[in-house]
Amino acid sequence: MLSNQLHNGMETAKLLWSRIPSSEDGEVDGVSMLRTSNGNTAESLDYEVIENQAYRYEQAQRGKLYVGYQVVVKWFLALLIGIGTGLAAVFINISVENFAGWKFSLTFSIIQRSYFAGFVIYVLINLVLVFSSVYIVTHFAPAAAGSGIPEIKGYLNGLDIPGILLFRTLIGKIFGSIGSVGGGLALGKEGPLVHTGACIASLLGQGGSTKYHLSLRWLQVFKSDRDRRDLVTCGCAAGVAAAFRAPVGGVLFALEEVTSWWRSQLMWRVFFTSAVVAVVVRTAMGWCKSGKCGHFGSGGFIIWDTSDGQEDYSFGELLPMAVIGVIGGLLGALFNQLTLHITYWRRNYLHKNGNRVKIIEACLISVITSAISFGLPLLRKCNPCPESDPDSGIECPRPPGMYGNYVNFYCGKDKEYNDLATIFFNTQDDAIRNLFSAKTIHEFSAQSLLTFLVMFYTLAVVTFGTAVPAGQFVPGIMIGSTYGRLVGMFVVNFYKVNVEEGTYALLGAASFLGGSMRMTVSLCVIMVEITNNLKLLPLIMLVLLISKAVGDAFNEGLYEQQARLRGIPLLESRPKYQMRNMKAKEACGNQKVVSFPRIVKVADVISILQSNIHNGFPVIDHTRNGETLVIGLVLRSHLLVLLQSKVDFQHSPLPCDPAGVSKSIRHNFSEFVKPVSSKGISIEDIHLSSDDLEMYIDLAPFLNPSPYVVPEDMSLTKVYNLFRQLGLRHIFVVPRASRVVGMITRKDLLIEDREDSANVELQSTSRAPSI
């Protein structure tokens, strides 16, 4: 009884918290449900192997040598994905660090003479960078806006969303991220790097881009959706590994957050790809340490080493650490809900007015962000530098033109620093490094941290959803580390113990990301890898579990909400509760099943394809007794290929080749594969004469003779799990079978074990007479 009341209370809280329309007004289920926010229809992907005669003929022609060649190419593509994603990440980081370094160096040199002139230069530089980013996105690559993780998650969930893996999307993501992050907006480059890795993987899988004449034929080996899905999974893991220098975290992120289907062979390739990324990034950082990369050596990739921080903790500290988890869950859930409302308003009202409004909005937010980050530190009084500790390696104050701990900004004396400028007038990576730093207990005041928390939280909410590439990892770490350090200051004053505030900042960062994104295992490993401190693993696990539990009581995770708002119908890991009381037949509704006979007239095919938008059709035949028999499933895309080629048209309405051998030779299986970078053939592309319309097609060689079938009274929960775990696009619902042909058990699938046991039985039988 108590558990039921608790469950009902949770559902009521979710309903009250999340009462917001999830789709456009007037949309109903069915076709409109698969329509994304930009108006494009997202079709499902065919992860199931279509075992038609063309496929079986090609498989029969391939020997062990070709299978070995495929395995080698898969690993080689994994290597190329790791190298390509690592190089893209190095290029983005070098560009962002140099733009930010030049910006701060120029601003610091100008404010020595005039703060107003420095403010104008600072605002203009940020404005130019943000304008370049939003212009690239709005006029060249609209699919590059946002983090891209909800779209990639939808793709790996089985949805073909147009435009998300194109070459221009990759270019827009890279250069757009440089402009938006270098321009000082309250967003990060880590989410876009995941999308970048997925784009690189998809382009390598299809051999490049044919539109821009950048294709290699010898790479065009894997053309099925299943193979592309595996490559995109490798790209997602590579993106996280490149963003955080966390190869193991990248593998776990792909497993926990974005994929819906996983197998052990894929795990090896994903792990190998992440390892290659780590080597590439490490090599680039070693090369840049010699000063060949400009300002890159001052910031570089994310790595906030807290290994010299707090090594132990007392039992009494667990309570404030648990409080950090609760705060992270509440603020994370609030962040998700605010961004959901603002994104909904943007999509339905603001962004409908065209690209000019998107550009003006991003530029206006850039000016506001620059004004706040420059102006608020001017209102803060400077603090005297603490006594220098030779072992800390931290200099106070930093010389003009440098950025790091103890920034001298608008201070009258030489031995003073501005604590608010140390985190506000700085790059996000260095600001987090300052908040995580050990042996800086009195560097920040509570007023400065609270001011920064309120302002940056507001800026992050408002900035998220603009028409620029935007990640939410680093802003989330910024927000969490700020209130985590505040709790650390409270512990120092209340418990009167010597603890490191930077440790609490790390736990706060983990709690906010857990409360917003609802990741646990992968986020825990990423936080350990980027901080190089394994001793804090139990504490990170504690705050992640608490923050996720608190956040789940109010709404969904950030990526799930944004996917739902964009009209991406994800199949979540668990079916809905009401599905337990529904049957498979009820899910079909009262819709009439459109089917084809085995021998169909071309005119009838054209008429059916024009009159509906279904993507799969049952094919029926009749036995000699006149009984109807379902012989398979034919896809719409396959029918369009047959109509366009015309080579399979026949005059007779009878099957001219019952075996279908000659039919399979007329087509390669690759002809039926839709290119990932195009929409494929549409019915408008088919042009037939009147004589062609009077001819017939035998569909038997081109259908899938073994589609998945479920009885009509099967629980919808079982159907849901089968559909999601196998990555299906269609399932036939049929009446209860009248007879059983056979039964398969586990031992029937262990072919090698059966052969061994059979040999043992024969040997024991032959020895029996001698006993």
Side-chain angles (χ1 to χ4, degrees), residues 16 26 48 70 169 174 180 204 206 268 373 461 523 542 558 743:
L16 294 175
E48 181 185 0
Q70 278 192 318
T169 303
I174 292 175
S180 60
L204 287 173
Q206 62 176 338
W268 280 104
S373 61
V461 169
L523 183 57
L542 173 67
L558 178 66
M743 177 178 273

Side-chain angles (χ1 to χ4, degrees), residues 369-638:
T369 303
S370 301
I372 291 176
S373 61
F374 192 99
L376 280 183
L378 296 177
L379 304 178
R380 180 68 184 165
K381 293 182 179 179
C382 293
N383 300 322
C385 288
E387 296 182 3
S388 59
D389 185 359
D391 298 332
S392 65
I394 299 176
E395 182 182 358
C396 180
R398 288 284 179 142
M402 301 291 291
Y403 46 95
N405 288 84
Y406 301 109
V407 173
N408 187 321
F409 185 79
Y410 200 62
C411 297
K413 299 180 181 179
D414 292 337
K415 285 295 182 178
E416 289 184 340
Y417 73 98
N418 191 317
D419 60 344
L420 192 56
T422 303
I423 50 178
F424 232 141
F425 197 67
N426 215 331
T427 62
Q428 292 185 16
D429 290 359
D430 279 285
I432 295 172
R433 192 174 289 111
N434 296 339
L435 291 169
F436 282 1
S437 60
K439 302 176 183 178
T440 57
I441 296 179
H442 302 292
E443 180 178 1
F444 304 102
S445 64
Q447 294 85 349
S448 296
L449 291 176
L450 190 60
T451 302
F452 177 78
L453 174 63
V454 173
M455 298 308 301
F456 193 83
Y457 190 96
T458 305
L459 288 174
V461 169
V462 174
T463 307
F464 188 82
T466 53
V468 294
Q472 206 51 44
F473 277 100
V474 169
I477 293 175
M478 289 272 288
I479 295 170
S481 58
T482 304
Y483 67 75
R485 190 145 185 140
L486 278 170
V487 175
M489 295 173 63
F490 167 78
V491 172
V492 171
N493 295 328
F494 184 79
Y495 286 90
K496 305 298 182 182
V497 293
N498 186 20
V499 300
E500 288 290 351
E501 297 172 3
T503 301
Y504 285 82
L506 168 63
L507 298 179
S511 70
F512 185 83
L513 292 178
S516 176
M517 300 180 183
R518 312 293 159 80
M519 296 186 298
T520 53
V521 180
S522 59
L523 183 57
C524 183
V525 174
I526 289 173
M527 295 302 294
V528 170
E529 287 187 283
I530 64 179
T531 56
N532 194 25
N533 195 338
L534 191 61
K535 298 176 183 177
L536 299 179
L537 178 61
L539 301 180
I540 296 175
M541 295 172 64
L542 173 67
V543 298
L544 280 176
L545 290 173
I546 295 176
S547 62
K548 184 181 185 304
V550 173
D552 284 339
F554 294 97
N555 52 27
E556 298 175 303
L558 178 66
Y559 298 135
E560 287 77 12
Q561 282 195 342
Q562 293 299 318
R564 182 163 55 89
L565 192 61
R566 286 171 167 82
I568 303 174
L570 296 177
L571 292 179
E572 301 297 339
S573 58
R574 293 186 301 174
K576 299 296 183 182
Y577 183 80
Q578 56 268 30
M579 288 185 179
R580 299 181 181 181
N581 301 320
M582 297 178 63
K583 305 297 181 183
K585 187 177 180 180
E586 298 178 37
C588 300
N590 298 322
Q591 59 181 352
K592 182 180 179 181
V593 179
V594 181
S595 61
F596 284 109
R598 174 182 173 178
I599 311 297
V600 60
K601 196 174 183 179
V602 174
D604 294 337
V605 177
I606 295 293
S607 175
I608 291 177
L609 294 182
Q610 289 178 340
S611 60
N612 64 79
I613 59 173
H614 298 314
N615 289 291
F617 303 90
V619 180
I620 60 174
D621 200 2
H622 295 85
T623 62
R624 295 180 179 179
N625 300 329
E627 183 181 353
T628 302
L629 182 67
V630 179
I631 62 173
L633 169 74
V634 64
L635 297 179
R636 182 187 190 92
S637 58
H638 292 192

Side-chain angles (χ1 to χ4, degrees), residues 742-761:
M743 177 178 273
I744 297 178
T745 62
R746 178 185 294 268
K747 68 176 184 179
D748 299 319
L749 301 177
L750 304 175
I751 299 177
E752 296 180 0
D753 294 347
R754 274 197 303 171
E755 292 176 353
D756 296 338
S757 61
N759 294 333
V760 172
E761 289 181 7

Side-chain angles (χ1 to χ4, degrees), residues 62-80:
R62 296 173 178 175
K64 292 184 177 180
L65 183 62
Y66 185 82
V67 175
Y69 169 72
Q70 278 192 318
V71 173
V72 171
V73 173
K74 284 182 179 180
W75 285 95
F76 183 67
L77 284 175
L79 174 66
L80 293 182

Side-chain angles (χ1 to χ4, degrees), residues 5-6 43 47 54 87 206 224 230 241 263 278 321 365 368 415 424 428 450 479 499 543 549 585 603 689:
Q5 293 177 355
L6 180 61
E43 296 184 0
Y47 288 154
L87 292 177
Q206 62 176 338
S224 68
D230 293 350
R263 66 180 190 273
M321 291 175 181
I365 292 177
I368 294 174
K415 285 295 182 178
F424 232 141
Q428 292 185 16
L450 190 60
I479 295 170
V499 300
V543 298
K585 187 177 180 180
S689 64

Side-chain angles (χ1 to χ4, degrees), residues 208-516:
S209 174
T210 56
K211 180 178 179 180
Y212 297 98
H213 306 289
L214 298 172
S215 60
L216 297 174
R217 185 175 297 275
W218 62 276
L219 281 177
Q220 299 174 2
V221 179
F222 306 106
K223 297 184 177 181
S224 68
D225 290 332
R226 291 168 63 92
D227 295 325
R228 290 170 182 162
R229 173 187 60 185
D230 293 350
L231 293 174
V232 170
T233 303
C234 292
C236 291
V240 175
F244 295 103
R245 287 177 58 197
V248 180
V251 177
L252 295 176
F253 175 83
L255 173 62
E256 178 183 7
E257 187 63 21
V258 295
T259 58
S260 304
W261 189 84
W262 196 263
R263 66 180 190 273
S264 58
Q265 297 94 330
L266 179 61
M267 171 78 81
W268 280 104
R269 291 204 301 275
V270 171
F271 186 76
F272 173 71
T273 306
S274 300
V276 172
V277 171
V279 172
V280 171
V281 171
R282 187 70 181 181
T283 304
M285 290 189 64
W287 183 70
C288 288
K289 282 184 178 179
S290 59
K292 299 177 181 179
C293 303
H295 291 270
F296 182 73
S298 302
F301 280 86
I302 294 175
I303 187 73
W304 302 300
D305 194 346
T306 62
S307 57
D308 59 344
Q310 184 174 341
E311 296 184 358
D312 199 5
Y313 49 91
S314 62
F315 181 78
E317 292 181 66
L318 294 179
L319 178 59
M321 291 175 181
V323 171
I324 289 178
V326 174
I327 296 173
L330 294 175
L331 290 182
L334 178 63
F335 182 87
N336 293 357
Q337 201 64 26
L338 291 176
T339 54
L340 184 67
H341 280 277
I342 293 177
T343 305
Y344 177 81
W345 174 77
R346 274 196 179 103
R347 189 190 71 174
N348 291 279
Y349 300 101
L350 187 63
H351 287 177
K352 282 188 175 182
N353 296 320
N355 291 334
R356 182 178 297 179
V357 174
K358 297 179 182 179
I359 295 175
I360 294 174
E361 178 200 22
C363 293
L364 183 61
I365 292 177
S366 173
V367 173
I368 294 174
T369 303
S370 301
I372 291 176
S373 61
F374 192 99
L376 280 183
L378 296 177
L379 304 178
R380 180 68 184 165
K381 293 182 179 179
C382 293
N383 300 322
C385 288
E387 296 182 3
S388 59
D389 185 359
D391 298 332
S392 65
I394 299 176
E395 182 182 358
C396 180
R398 288 284 179 142
M402 301 291 291
Y403 46 95
N405 288 84
Y406 301 109
V407 173
N408 187 321
F409 185 79
Y410 200 62
C411 297
K413 299 180 181 179
D414 292 337
K415 285 295 182 178
E416 289 184 340
Y417 73 98
N418 191 317
D419 60 344
L420 192 56
T422 303
I423 50 178
F424 232 141
F425 197 67
N426 215 331
T427 62
Q428 292 185 16
D429 290 359
D430 279 285
I432 295 172
R433 192 174 289 111
N434 296 339
L435 291 169
F436 282 1
S437 60
K439 302 176 183 178
T440 57
I441 296 179
H442 302 292
E443 180 178 1
F444 304 102
S445 64
Q447 294 85 349
S448 296
L449 291 176
L450 190 60
T451 302
F452 177 78
L453 174 63
V454 173
M455 298 308 301
F456 193 83
Y457 190 96
T458 305
L459 288 174
V461 169
V462 174
T463 307
F464 188 82
T466 53
V468 294
Q472 206 51 44
F473 277 100
V474 169
I477 293 175
M478 289 272 288
I479 295 170
S481 58
T482 304
Y483 67 75
R485 190 145 185 140
L486 278 170
V487 175
M489 295 173 63
F490 167 78
V491 172
V492 171
N493 295 328
F494 184 79
Y495 286 90
K496 305 298 182 182
V497 293
N498 186 20
V499 300
E500 288 290 351
E501 297 172 3
T503 301
Y504 285 82
L506 168 63
L507 298 179
S511 70
F512 185 83
L513 292 178
S516 176

